[in-house]
């Protein structure tokens, strides 16, 4: 008869935590664990300090524990930042830091949160309140260069070809810029 190598091990799937856990205390412990994970991954102390401040401001603005935040809460906070005149990059930063924290909660604390607070984690940041980073936050304030200014630029490039230590890269740059200019690409 073959001896079985499998055996039953006593254990629990849900860590034991106090039933009457204070959500704000638990969230503070989660923030500490999140920050510890940044340090473990080697993030710069300056980056960590800046991101801690941003995360704390975001959580304070939301006004409820991260696991209770709804898409409407995200809309309210981001909309409020827009009304205050905050830049799109600032609003994007608030959303991104919250998304990162929520992902951490889902990966590391979901079982404890469900056991203590009865909440199954679903990220409230969705396609309607997540900002996309498409390009620069503001339109160009300067008008396009005049034809004279463009010709000065090309004269500079031609002069550079004549004095360049390596002819090929300088000639390539000139040819590339001239092609783009004549093709009308912007």
């Amino acid at each position: 008869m073959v001896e079985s190598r499998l055996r039953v091990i006593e254990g629990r799937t849900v860590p034991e935590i106090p039933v009457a856990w204070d959500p704000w205390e638990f969230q503070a412990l989660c923030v500490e664990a999140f920050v510890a994970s940044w340090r473990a991954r080697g993030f710069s102390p300056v980056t960590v300090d800046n991101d801690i401040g941003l995360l704390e401001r975001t959580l304070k603005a939301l006004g409820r524990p991260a696991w209770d935040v709804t898409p409407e809460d995200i809309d309210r906070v981001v909309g409020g930042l827009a009304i205050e005149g905050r830049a799109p990059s600032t609003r994007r930063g608030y959303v991104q830091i919250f998304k990162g924290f929520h992902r951490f909660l889902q990966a590391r604390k979901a079982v404890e949160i469900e056991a203590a607070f009865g909440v199954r984690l679903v990220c409230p940041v969705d396609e309607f309140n997540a900002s996309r980073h498409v390009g620069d936050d503001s339109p160009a304030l300067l008008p396009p260069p005049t034809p004279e200014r463009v010709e000065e630029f090309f004269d500079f490039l031609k002069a550079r070809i004549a004095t360049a230590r390596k002819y090929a890269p300088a000639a390539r740059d000139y040819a590339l810029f001239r092609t783009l200019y004549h093709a009308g690409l912007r």
Side-chain angles (χ1 to χ4, degrees):
M1 185 169 187
V2 178
E3 180 181 329
S4 174
R5 295 184 186 257
L6 299 177
R7 60 189 173 122
V8 176
I9 298 176
E10 291 296 321
R12 298 178 184 264
T13 57
V14 179
E16 290 186 28
I17 57 176
V19 175
W21 192 277
D22 177 54
W24 299 110
E25 284 180 36
F26 186 75
Q27 180 167 279
L29 293 173
C30 290
V31 168
E32 287 177 23
F34 186 46
V35 171
S37 77
W38 289 339
R39 290 189 175 115
R41 289 182 284 166
F43 285 27
S44 148
V46 173
T47 300
V48 171
D49 290 342
N50 289 339
D51 286 352
I52 289 170
L54 180 58
L55 178 59
E56 289 173 348
R57 286 190 304 275
T58 303
L59 294 173
K60 182 178 180 184
L62 289 166
R64 58 179 56 202
W67 49 89
D68 287 335
V69 172
T70 65
E72 291 76 21
D73 294 322
I74 300 290
D75 292 344
R76 174 182 48 81
V77 169
V78 174
L81 291 170
I83 290 169
E84 292 173 11
R86 302 307 271 291
S89 59
T90 300
R91 300 190 308 259
R92 191 171 37 254
Y94 273 71
V95 172
Q96 289 303 105
I97 196 76
F98 181 78
K99 275 177 62 174
F101 181 59
H102 206 277
R103 264 195 324 271
F104 173 82
L105 293 176
Q106 287 175 312
R108 300 258 183 107
K109 303 292 183 180
V111 173
E112 295 173 64
I113 290 169
E114 188 170 352
F117 307 107
V119 176
R120 187 168 297 236
L121 287 175
V122 177
C123 188
V125 179
D126 56 28
E127 64 182 293
F128 300 104
N129 57 18
S131 59
R132 295 182 322 139
H133 183 73
V134 177
D136 196 14
D137 291 338
S138 61
L141 300 176
L142 300 175
T146 62
E148 294 80 21
R149 180 72 176 122
V150 173
E151 284 308 314
E152 287 175 21
F153 173 70
F154 285 117
D155 290 341
F156 164 77
L157 287 179
K158 279 191 262 187
R160 192 168 150 245
I161 292 172
T163 59
R165 190 172 64 87
K166 293 185 176 181
Y167 172 81
R172 176 205 59 209
D173 292 349
Y174 176 81
L176 175 70
F177 285 117
R178 197 50 121 165
T179 302
L180 290 173
Y181 176 69
H182 287 296
L185 300 175
R186 304 284 181 251

